[in-house]
Amino acid sequence: MSRDSGESRLIIRGGGRLSGKIVVSGAKNSALKLMAASLLAPGVSVLHNVPDIQDVQTMRELLEHLGAVVDFADATMTVDTAAVQSHVAPYELVQRMRASIQIMGPLVARFGRARVAMPGGCNLGPRKIDIHLRGLAGMGGEIRSGHGFVEVKADKLRGIDMFLEYPSVGATENLLMAAVLAEGTTTLENAAREPEIVDLCKFLVSMGADIEGAGTSTVRITGVRELHPAEHTVLGDRIEAGTFLIAGAVTGGDVEVVGISPHVLDLFLFKLRAMGVHVQENTRSIRAVGDPAAFTAVDIATLPYPGFPTDLQAQMMVPLSLASGVSLVTENVFEKRFGFVDELVRLGAEIRVDGNHAVIIGGRTLTGAIVRCPDLRAGAALALAGLAAEGFTELRDVLHVDRGYERFEEKLQMLGAEAERTGAEPLSCASD
Ligand code: UD1
């Protein structure tokens, strides 16, 4: 996949009703970790249903930088890690994608050494890695930092009992990947329970790992001497599914997302229903039919899984802006995840932010405008707002959306949206 730079823009003509079916892509947040996990065994691992998105390309670059040979076509990726030699994740890649730090656990486990640029701040606020490092240190890793890098060294990691002070997704995954080759048993308590972690554990088990309790808050890993390459199919992307369900609902449409178990979106679907969206759950698909005129306000508080996903918070602000009544959204996972609110306000939303709370005064009519995507999920939310708005909306910096959504506008077009990518000068975006 190649996209041009930040010049890329998405022009959306709002007001049309979206209807039809889309097949969700493989989950970004699983695929990236599975790619990192392939480093744990020498040889060729095969991953199916890998989304062709920018973050996957960045992880591919990182694996290649380490010496892996990667082939990626038609959603299938092969990663040959036999020739991996380097143990360094350079600043250029980590700064582009924080998930680069997920190579730390696998590299220390297999090669005894990892040197990773410190991720630093990002537009979701400071994102620390203290839990990752505390776990690796507890397992016997010698941690050094300086010159913007953190380095972990260990001849042999050993199992530990660890209580995570916060169920961090990334820390749970890094420690899992470190523990599978450690000496003895590791118990992670208050571990994250995201479906993507279960997917990672399935892959690790198919590589020969011994893991109990995946998807619960106590995960027990008994280290094995070595792992072998394996083949795995990435689970569907629940955040993409949620985004397209909202797209249908806010346009008064009828959208079905296929390739996802409704169970992984339980609380999100509960909130959609509470708002007045008609939701139908099938074994491997979800259908939502909405009428914004009938939406009512609901309160939302983001929490680690199975709580309401922070990655759907921004998108949810759009139907709440249309709903009658006042909603309260509380962001508990990331410090600065309301950075997009000013852009949504430019489209006509009425939102007041105080710390980690946002009060949304609903019943607004949105009107198209030029807006800038500050990050991945906020970009998707602004596209949804554009679909619900009168007239044209121009999304700038749409490359943020490409980090996590595969063929975003193509899928919207399949549902009947008028959405065009352009790298050229903007169209006139005044509302018609
Ligand atoms: C992952 C997801 C991201 C999602 C998030 C929460 C990937 C690539 N990204 O991010 O899409 O929004 O989970 O569901 O899978 N924290 C610490 N110390 C640590 C680690 C984390 O304080 O050592 C804090 C972070 O600053 C943040 C919170 O914990 O405020 C959540 O972070 P975490 O669960 O680790 O999310 P990520 O793995 O970064």
Side-chain angles (χ1 to χ4, degrees):
M1 187 185 81
S2 76
R3 293 262 188 237
D4 59 5
S5 66
E7 290 306 309
S8 188
R9 295 162 184 186
L10 188 63
I11 314 289
I12 293 173
R13 184 191 189 124
R17 188 175 166 272
L18 266 57
S19 68
K21 249 184 218 186
I22 60 134
V23 177
V24 295
S25 300
K28 164 178 98 71
N29 289 352
S30 179
L32 296 174
K33 323 310 168 58
L34 298 169
M35 291 169 73
S38 67
L39 290 167
L40 284 160
V44 184
S45 282
V46 182
L47 301 171
H48 301 287
N49 201 29
V50 176
D52 190 357
I53 52 177
Q54 201 54 54
D55 274 10
V56 161
Q57 295 294 353
T58 304
M59 184 58 97
R60 174 191 184 155
E61 267 183 66
L62 178 54
L63 295 179
E64 288 174 341
H65 173 88
L66 297 173
V69 177
V70 182
D71 185 63
F72 184 28
D74 300 329
T76 292
M77 178 176 284
T78 56
V79 185
D80 184 350
T81 65
V84 167
Q85 277 175 343
S86 169
H87 60 278
V88 181
Y91 176 73
E92 199 269 321
L93 292 171
V94 179
Q95 163 260 355
R96 242 199 278 161
M97 185 188 67
R98 191 187 134 88
S100 309
I101 60 172
Q102 299 305 135
I103 62 158
M104 207 156 44
L107 284 182
V108 185
R110 181 165 156 215
F111 300 103
R113 200 165 175 191
R115 185 172 154 82
V116 176
M118 297 284 276
C122 69
N123 45 14
L124 301 184
R127 289 170 80 171
K128 295 177 285 181
I129 56 167
D130 53 320
I131 307 173
H132 303 236
L133 296 180
R134 199 164 58 75
L136 291 171
M139 295 171 92
E142 183 193 325
I143 317 265
R144 284 209 189 146
S145 59
H147 304 286
F149 277 83
V150 57
E151 183 153 350
V152 186
K153 278 193 205 166
D155 286 339
K156 184 74 188 164
L157 293 170
R158 50 173 194 275
I160 47 159
D161 290 344
M162 176 169 171
F163 181 86
L164 280 68
E165 67 257 45
Y166 180 87
S168 152
V169 172
T172 301
E173 292 165 337
N174 239 334
L175 298 177
L176 258 163
M177 292 188 277
V180 286
L181 287 177
E183 215 168 73
T185 299
T186 295
T187 306
L188 300 176
E189 284 190 69
N190 197 28
R193 293 180 279 164
E194 271 65 5
E196 293 76 22
I197 293 179
V198 178
D199 208 33
L200 171 63
C201 288
K202 283 185 186 159
F203 181 51
L204 292 171
V205 166
S206 65
M207 294 172 89
D210 181 350
I211 302 172
E212 280 169 46
T216 75
S217 47
T218 303
V219 185
R220 188 162 290 112
I221 308 113
T222 303
V224 296
R225 260 170 42 85
E226 56 181 21
L227 296 173
H228 51 79
E231 189 163 351
H232 183 82
T233 299
V234 182
L235 93 166
D237 196 312
R238 64 195 162 101
I239 306 302
E240 185 197 16
T243 303
F244 279 90
L245 289 174
I246 295 177
V250 295
T251 59
D254 178 350
V255 166
E256 185 171 4
V257 291
V258 180
I260 185 106
S261 156
H263 178 57
V264 298
L265 281 167
D266 275 341
L267 192 48
F268 169 74
L269 298 179
F270 175 87
K271 292 291 180 181
L272 279 191
R273 287 192 174 104
M275 211 170 52
V277 177
H278 177 73
V279 178
Q280 187 187 318
E281 298 181 22
N282 304 309
T283 327
R284 294 287 299 157
S285 72
I286 311 165
R287 181 175 165 203
V289 182
D291 172 12
F295 289 174
T296 52
V298 293
D299 292 344
I300 280 163
T302 66
L303 280 173
Y305 190 84
F308 191 93
T310 177
D311 286 351
L312 282 170
Q313 176 256 101
Q315 299 89 315
M316 201 65 180
M317 294 270 206
V318 179
L320 295 182
S321 294
L322 307 174
S324 63
V326 176
S327 306
L328 175 65
V329 172
T330 305
E331 173 57 54
N332 292 310
V333 179
F334 290 112
E335 268 176 45
K336 290 189 186 162
R337 215 165 193 180
F338 289 137
F340 68 99
V341 162
D342 289 347
E343 300 296 307
L344 206 49
V345 166
R346 301 192 67 252
L347 293 173
E350 191 176 345
I351 302 173
R352 293 188 204 142
V353 174
D354 183 7
N356 68 329
H357 299 292
V359 175
I360 298 139
I361 294 99
R364 308 293 299 175
T365 300
L366 302 180
T367 54
I370 298 175
V371 284
R372 196 165 283 284
C373 305
D375 64 63
L376 163 60
R377 303 304 171 185
L382 293 167
L384 299 180
L387 291 167
E390 290 171 2
F392 287 96
T393 291
E394 178 185 318
L395 259 70
R396 298 202 176 164
D397 285 347
V398 81
L399 79 166
H400 284 293
V401 176
D402 298 330
R403 283 192 41 220
Y405 290 89
E406 186 178 42
R407 298 183 286 114
F408 185 61
E409 69 271 20
E410 204 180 307
K411 288 187 178 180
L412 288 176
Q413 286 160 0
M414 282 165 61
L415 298 173
E418 287 187 54
E420 287 292 339
R421 180 81 63 139
T422 170
E425 283 303 298
L427 303 176
S428 164
C429 282
S431 289
D432 58 9

